[in-house]
Amino acid sequence: MSKKNTVSIERRDDFGRNSSKINEEKQMHKTPKLRFNKFTEFWKFTNLEDAYIKGRIGWKNLTRDEYTKEGPYFISGKDINDGKIMWDTCEHITIERYEESPEIKLQNNDIILTQRGTLGNSAFIENLTKKATINANMILLRANKEIYPLYLYYIIKSDYFKKFIHKITSVGCISSLFQKDLKKFEFPYPSYEEQKEISYFLSEIDIKIDLMEQKNKKIKYDVKNYLLSNLFVENKEEDILSWDEKDLDNISSISTGNCDLKDNIEDGKYPFFVRSEKVERIDSYAYDGEAILIPGDGRVGEIFHYINGKFNYHQRVYKISDFKDVIGKYVYYYLQQYFLRHVHKYSVKATVDSLRLPIIKEMKIRYPSIKKQEKIVNILSCVDKKIELSNKQISLMKNYKKGLLQKMFI
């Protein structure tokens, strides 16, 4: 799919066309500013009326009890993440159920998108080697002969389609995307060859983003997890008695905040820690110093924040601060490694819905000398900096792609 291209920005103020030709004026208005040098033809407009659009009509009495461990993949909206199908999360159905709806058997170059929930969440089907179909909350879209499939996928990912979704859902609080509405979606398209050039160019960026994300995951899940698993274990050559163990309550102060999510201010002066990974903002602070913040419900045992400065925090977020005999950031990393397994001891379920103060207080913390704590913290901080840098680079690349989608289609 990789192909080298050169792109230039051309500004078109006057095409010399007859202003009475409404369709040509519309095309002129919609011709993008960013374009490959070798293409000069006017763009045209079309809609999805002639495209192959299918969805599962009802469930034909299909129930969850009929799901199987093997067999054709049965894809739903939850299985789509950032344009990719997470095959490991897909359900399976029997071959008999799969054959009941031949109109939605997936093929390579198909596009699938959600018609309920997160409307328009889409994925492009490629390298498909096994039988797969979609559930009742999905729509299958197959391009006609004038539209290059990957080009249509990028159109679906562009602001053109987002604006279309917003327009049809803003009337009467519609929460579903119907096939009859989708057929009305109008978008610009150039020659087939230019569609391919655009698609190749954008796919190269996607490949680069994928490689960056794979590298980031390797650092995050392989390197850091390896270090977390080994740095908190006593060295065999070291006197084991040099490590101490105390309840978290005995080496820190633990409390919850007094604010609610409604108190957040978009451009507030201080960080505001709530029950998610996202840090909000607020104009008042409740504490100034080194602290660890963990949510009391939601993704318990998975989210940890560290800060040294002024901040505020939610009434269901626990602040761990005022450390004694330990470095705050050492505890921060220690909790990342051991806290989840600790809270699981208090729950019979696979997940923990709510976290109570006694559970946190009783968390056992093993720690060596301050000197060794500093060494551990320095190693893990270095890894975190690499992860943070990688995240920024990925974000910049995604924003670059978003800008291209706007300029190449609008």
Side-chain angles (χ1 to χ4, degrees), residues 59 61-69 74 76 78 89-93 97 135:
W59 282 78
N61 298 318
L62 179 68
T63 65
R64 290 191 63 87
D65 292 337
E66 295 182 71
Y67 291 171
T68 58
K69 292 183 178 180
F74 193 52
S76 65
K78 70 176 177 59
T89 68
C90 293
E91 304 288 355
H92 296 270
I93 57 174
R97 281 295 198 180
N135 77 357

Side-chain angles (χ1 to χ4, degrees), residues 45-75:
F45 268 77
T46 188
N47 55 38
L48 294 177
E49 184 70 37
D50 296 328
Y52 182 91
I53 304 174
K54 297 292 181 181
R56 179 177 288 273
I57 307 301
W59 282 78
K60 297 185 178 180
N61 298 318
L62 179 68
T63 65
R64 290 191 63 87
D65 292 337
E66 295 182 71
Y67 291 171
T68 58
K69 292 183 178 180
E70 298 179 346
Y73 288 97
F74 193 52
I75 304 169

Side-chain angles (χ1 to χ4, degrees), residues 322-377:
D322 305 301
F323 302 99
K324 295 169 285 189
D325 300 324
V326 291
I327 299 172
K329 207 159 191 179
Y330 173 87
V331 178
Y332 166 71
Y333 286 124
Y334 193 93
L335 292 176
Q336 287 184 30
Q337 177 63 15
Y338 295 110
F339 189 65
L340 186 58
R341 69 180 72 174
H342 168 73
V343 298
H344 275 313
K345 294 188 298 185
Y346 297 85
S347 176
V348 295
K349 299 191 300 181
T351 58
V352 181
D353 298 324
S354 185
L355 184 61
R356 300 303 171 191
L357 184 58
I359 297 177
I360 304 177
K361 287 183 174 182
E362 295 170 8
M363 172 72 189
K364 302 291 183 184
I365 305 293
R366 288 192 60 77
Y367 58 94
S369 65
I370 292 294
K371 184 177 180 180
K372 182 155 188 177
Q373 289 181 50
E374 290 175 342
K375 183 179 179 180
I376 292 171
V377 167

Side-chain angles (χ1 to χ4, degrees), residues 235-247:
N235 193 313
K236 293 181 180 180
E237 299 176 357
E238 183 182 11
D239 185 359
I240 197 170
L241 296 178
S242 66
W243 285 66
D244 204 347
E245 182 178 272
K246 291 183 180 179
D247 288 350

Side-chain angles (χ1 to χ4, degrees), residues 51-236:
Y52 182 91
I53 304 174
K54 297 292 181 181
R56 179 177 288 273
I57 307 301
W59 282 78
K60 297 185 178 180
N61 298 318
L62 179 68
T63 65
R64 290 191 63 87
D65 292 337
E66 295 182 71
Y67 291 171
T68 58
K69 292 183 178 180
E70 298 179 346
Y73 288 97
F74 193 52
I75 304 169
S76 65
K78 70 176 177 59
D79 305 316
I80 298 178
N81 182 30
D82 200 18
K84 301 179 183 64
I85 297 175
M86 314 303 290
W87 296 103
D88 291 343
T89 68
C90 293
E91 304 288 355
H92 296 270
I93 57 174
T94 63
I95 189 66
E96 289 77 18
R97 281 295 198 180
Y98 169 77
E99 294 291 349
E100 280 182 355
S101 301
E103 72 279 1
I104 52 172
K105 292 180 180 180
L106 296 187
Q107 303 175 12
N108 282 318
N109 296 322
D110 281 345
I111 299 164
I112 58 173
L113 58 156
T114 52
Q115 63 174 341
R116 296 183 184 89
T118 306
L119 298 184
N121 187 23
S122 58
F124 185 73
I125 307 299
E126 57 184 342
N127 302 319
L128 183 66
T129 59
K130 295 183 179 180
K131 292 179 173 62
T133 186
I134 52 177
N135 77 357
N137 296 320
M138 306 291 295
I139 291 178
L140 164 61
L141 179 59
R142 195 170 290 159
N144 62 32
K145 62 181 181 180
E146 291 187 22
I147 305 299
Y148 188 62
L150 192 55
Y151 173 84
L152 180 57
Y153 170 69
Y154 284 121
I155 281 285
I156 294 296
K157 301 292 285 186
S158 73
D159 279 353
Y160 258 112
F161 192 66
K162 292 176 184 177
K163 290 175 182 177
F164 170 76
I165 292 288
H166 178 74
K167 182 179 179 180
I168 64 173
T169 56
S170 62
V171 180
C173 298
I174 298 173
S175 58
S176 297
L177 178 62
F178 299 105
Q179 295 179 44
K180 63 180 180 64
D181 293 322
L182 191 58
K183 288 181 178 181
K184 299 174 185 177
F185 172 56
E186 188 179 64
F187 61 93
Y189 71 102
S191 67
Y192 199 81
E193 284 303 311
E194 187 171 358
Q195 292 178 50
K196 290 173 68 174
E197 292 280 357
I198 292 171
S199 302
Y200 289 145
F201 182 72
L202 292 173
S203 66
E204 286 180 352
I205 297 174
D206 280 341
I207 290 170
K208 187 170 184 178
I209 292 173
D210 285 343
L211 292 173
M212 293 169 70
E213 288 178 334
Q214 289 173 24
K215 182 179 179 181
N216 192 0
K217 287 180 181 179
K218 184 173 181 62
I219 297 172
K220 187 175 181 179
Y221 296 109
D222 294 345
V223 177
K224 185 174 179 179
N225 284 348
Y226 173 81
L227 291 171
L228 286 170
S229 299
N230 288 275
L231 288 174
F232 297 111
V233 179
E234 299 91 336
N235 193 313
K236 293 181 180 180

